[in-house]
Amino acid sequence: MPSPAPTGQSGRMLEDLLAVAREEAEAGKAEGGVPIGAALFDRDGVLLGRGHNRRVQDGDPSLHAETAAFRAAGRRPHYRDTIMVTTLSPCWYCSGLVRQFGIPRVVIGESRTFTGGHGWLAGHGVRIDLLDDPACVALMTEFIAREPALWFEDIGVPRASGER
């Protein structure tokens, strides 16, 4: 199960890591895209790669925030010493990326507006830190209210019965 939001120095470090992903989400929002950001760090908090959802901007449905951060990090012999930080609970596609490459820890800004595969990841031994960050919640709540059709497209859910 997900860990509660940490406190103390460890909690401060996670909030600092999340701030990078939140900056990416804000960049995506400013570009007219889905405001989800992510960053990949090593276990000491050194930034390896960062990115944001670019499905709209690039017309590429595979450009989720986590995949953008993963790609920006570049090739490594393994990912067992990394931390994926994302503003929103990772979808099944991004959860698969974490599982496929053995990323051992995922820090999540929020899962109120969308709960992806983080419970499944936890069941497979991935450490989950769910921070329930108010700024991340606000970003997605505002976006979903403003762009419901785009949101449903992003998560692969038809809006109306019979819609493909």
Side-chain angles (χ1 to χ4, degrees):
M1 282 323 288
S3 312
T7 59
Q9 185 178 14
S10 170
R12 168 70 12 220
M13 182 187 99
L14 296 184
E15 290 171 15
D16 291 345
L17 300 183
L18 182 61
V20 175
R22 222 176 18 247
E23 287 174 9
E24 287 294 326
E26 291 286 356
K29 177 183 174 182
E31 295 169 358
V34 181
I36 302 170
L40 189 68
F41 296 89
D42 74 11
R43 74 178 74 163
D44 296 320
V46 174
L47 179 64
L48 303 171
R50 59 192 289 166
H52 54 273
N53 186 306
R54 294 197 48 87
R55 296 181 72 251
V56 173
Q57 299 92 312
D58 293 357
D60 182 344
S62 70
L63 280 179
H64 289 208
E66 296 87 345
T67 60
F70 184 75
R71 288 174 177 167
R75 183 175 168 195
R76 297 171 55 91
H78 66 81
Y79 297 86
R80 293 183 305 268
D81 62 345
T82 63
I83 304 167
M84 178 65 77
V85 181
T86 181
T87 57
L88 185 65
S89 177
C91 70
W92 288 105
Y93 171 62
C94 296
S95 294
L97 179 145
V98 168
R99 182 92 165 98
Q100 173 70 32
F101 290 97
I103 296 170
R105 187 175 187 182
V106 178
V107 176
I108 301 167
E110 68 104 352
S111 69
R112 287 190 212 178
T113 60
F114 177 78
T115 300
H118 71 262
W120 174 75
L121 287 170
H124 286 280
V126 176
R127 179 177 173 179
I128 302 295
D129 293 290
L130 182 53
L131 302 183
D132 198 28
D133 180 73
C136 291
V137 173
L139 264 172
M140 288 310 300
T141 301
E142 292 164 9
F143 172 75
I144 293 167
R146 188 178 67 252
E147 298 282 352
L150 187 53
W151 171 242
F152 285 111
E153 175 190 327
D154 190 62
I155 60 173
V157 175
R159 281 189 37 133
S161 63
E163 183 180 349
R164 292 179 182 229

